[in-house]
């Protein structure tokens, strides 16, 4: 497999190990069950994001306790929301200013993942914990 980079694919000389557009494609393509993908993301990001990650579990009489109903990630002035509805996920990105939501937009899962990974990449520049979580999400286990 060719080396991937944390920089956008069109930048020359990138020597890191992750191309975000490729990562989004891989996450989307390898996740026929979006709920499994969300569980994996939540698991990887929980320690790095702390209270900026809110997970609402479905649970109940006929559902598994670990089923995810919704995920809300707050990063700077953006709130990324993913709501599970049966076998599909509705994603939105909200923008706040001064604590007031000024905009909210429905987006595709790919756009949501791109925003999430791009923001995490920027944060990883100064957070070792976020960098490790991001690498693990995209690259997987390394020996």
């Amino acid at each position: 497999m060719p080396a991937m980079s944390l920089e956008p694919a069109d930048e020359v000389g990138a020597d890191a190990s992750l191309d975000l557009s490729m990562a989004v494609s891989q996450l989307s393509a390898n996740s026929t069950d979006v709920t499994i993908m969300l569980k994996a993301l939540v698991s990887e990001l929980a320690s790095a994001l702390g209270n900026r990650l809110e997970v609402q579990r479905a649970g109940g009489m006929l559902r598994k306790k670990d089923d995810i109903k919704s995920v809300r990630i707050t990063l700077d002035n953006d709130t990324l929301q993913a709501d599970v509805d049966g076998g599909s996920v509705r994603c939105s990105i909200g923008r706040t200013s001064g604590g007031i939501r000024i905009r909210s937009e429905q987006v595709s899962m790919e756009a949501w993942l791109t925003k999430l990974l791009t923001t995490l990449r920027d944060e990883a520049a100064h957070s070792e914990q976020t960098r490790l979580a991001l690498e693990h999400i995209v690259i997987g286990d390394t020996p």
Side-chain angles (χ1 to χ4, degrees):
M1 172 181 276
M4 294 187 276
S5 166
L6 278 172
E7 300 302 319
D10 58 345
E11 284 196 28
V12 178
D15 60 352
S17 56
L18 169 67
D19 172 3
L20 290 181
S21 60
M22 184 179 293
V24 169
S25 296
Q26 288 174 341
L27 282 172
S28 299
N30 293 336
S31 298
T32 54
D33 184 349
V34 291
T35 58
I36 292 172
M37 182 189 60
L38 284 176
K39 283 181 190 179
L41 281 173
V42 165
S43 173
E44 292 300 325
L45 295 175
S47 62
L49 295 178
N51 65 358
R52 298 181 295 164
L53 172 67
E54 298 173 36
V55 180
Q56 189 174 38
R57 304 282 177 181
M61 199 78 139
L62 301 174
R63 294 183 177 213
K64 296 178 185 175
K65 291 180 184 177
D66 65 340
D67 281 352
I68 294 177
K69 184 176 178 179
S70 69
V71 174
R72 177 181 293 220
I73 302 171
T74 305
L75 301 166
D76 296 324
N77 292 323
D78 294 321
T79 301
L80 288 76
Q81 178 86 27
D83 296 306
V84 177
D85 185 17
S88 65
V89 176
R90 288 186 327 272
C91 298
S92 64
I93 300 173
R95 182 85 173 153
T96 58
S97 178
I100 299 171
R101 178 170 274 182
I102 57 174
R103 167 184 85 192
S104 186
E105 168 183 17
Q106 293 293 119
V107 297
S108 67
M109 186 67 165
E110 290 79 15
W112 190 87
L113 285 169
T114 299
K115 177 66 175 175
L116 174 63
L117 294 179
T118 301
T119 304
L120 291 175
R121 179 195 62 196
D122 295 343
E123 184 176 303
H126 57 276
S127 169
E128 179 74 7
Q129 192 172 25
T130 301
R131 185 187 63 77
L132 292 173
L134 181 59
E135 283 181 359
H136 194 267
I137 287 169
V138 180
I139 299 170
D141 291 324
T142 54

